[in-house]
Amino acid sequence: MEAIKRQAAQDLGARLRIIRKSQKMSLQEVEIKSHGHWKAVVIGSYERADRALSVGKLAELLHFYQVPISSCFTIPSTGRAEVRELILDLHKIRNIGEQVAPMQRYIASITTKREDWNGQILSLRKSDLDTLAILFETSESALFEQLDKWGVLIHPQRQE
């Protein structure tokens, strides 16, 4: 049971690190931008899973990062039969070029509907993946693999 708890804490810490880095913030910048509310050493210990993180503190930290709490719990993986949610790094998508223009238009539509102007990451539902697969004239699994190759998926297992 302890191994399961430790793995869950490590996965959560990795996800928090990815979220912070996707917003182009160092640990010190988190401390500065939060006006000292979030200490760099504390955030680092959460990310390394050296320190326990309560649900309340997690919600508060994710509010600071302006990401939904669900972004820490739905983890896509190429090994899964079905993808329920994708988390995309919007900065990386912007740098790919013209080949992702349909996706960029679709993402713009989603952010407008959700009034999500964060511009750093975006959570897509399975139905969004269905739509994107149609736009790219490919299968969902092939699109997922292509998104992974482009490096635009945010995976908690990977250190970026």
Side-chain angles (χ1 to χ4, degrees):
M1 190 60 129
E2 284 302 313
I4 292 171
K5 288 180 185 179
R6 181 75 183 153
Q7 185 62 52
Q10 289 173 338
D11 290 347
L12 178 59
R15 176 59 61 106
L16 289 173
R17 179 177 292 113
I18 289 167
I19 290 169
R20 175 180 53 80
K21 287 187 172 192
S22 76
Q23 295 189 10
K24 309 289 189 228
M25 283 195 285
S26 67
L27 292 170
Q28 291 73 26
E29 288 169 322
V30 170
E31 186 169 339
I32 292 165
K33 289 181 180 183
S34 71
H35 305 288
H37 180 77
W38 295 105
K39 303 292 185 200
V41 67
V42 172
I43 298 299
S45 65
Y46 290 153
E47 292 178 2
R48 291 186 308 276
D50 292 338
R51 186 176 190 155
L53 179 62
S54 70
V55 174
K57 286 284 188 186
L58 175 63
E60 192 179 338
L61 180 58
L62 293 174
H63 178 74
F64 170 75
Y65 287 144
Q66 297 181 324
V67 298
I69 197 165
S70 63
S71 66
C72 285
F73 297 105
T74 305
I75 302 169
S77 165
T78 56
R80 289 192 179 169
E82 180 180 333
V83 176
R84 290 190 178 151
E85 181 181 65
L86 297 175
I87 300 176
L88 302 176
D89 184 323
L90 298 181
H91 284 300
K92 290 180 180 178
I93 289 172
R94 287 184 199 106
N95 294 328
I96 292 176
E98 192 61 33
Q99 62 198 24
V100 295
M103 182 169 29
Q104 289 171 328
R105 288 189 297 274
Y106 187 69
I107 287 170
S109 172
I110 291 171
T111 56
T112 301
K113 286 178 186 174
R114 292 183 190 172
E115 296 181 355
D116 180 2
W117 310 113
N118 178 342
Q120 306 295 321
I121 65 171
L122 181 67
S123 296
L124 297 178
R125 297 172 187 96
K126 184 181 181 320
S127 60
D128 297 321
L129 181 61
D130 298 341
T131 302
L132 285 171
I134 292 167
L135 288 173
F136 282 93
E137 299 178 346
T138 190
S139 69
E140 293 170 34
S141 60
L143 177 61
F144 185 85
E145 288 177 19
Q146 184 60 56
L147 293 171
D148 197 37
K149 285 179 189 172
W150 284 332
V152 300
L153 294 177
I154 295 179
H155 294 278
Q157 304 91 333
R158 298 180 186 168
Q159 301 297 317
E160 298 187 340

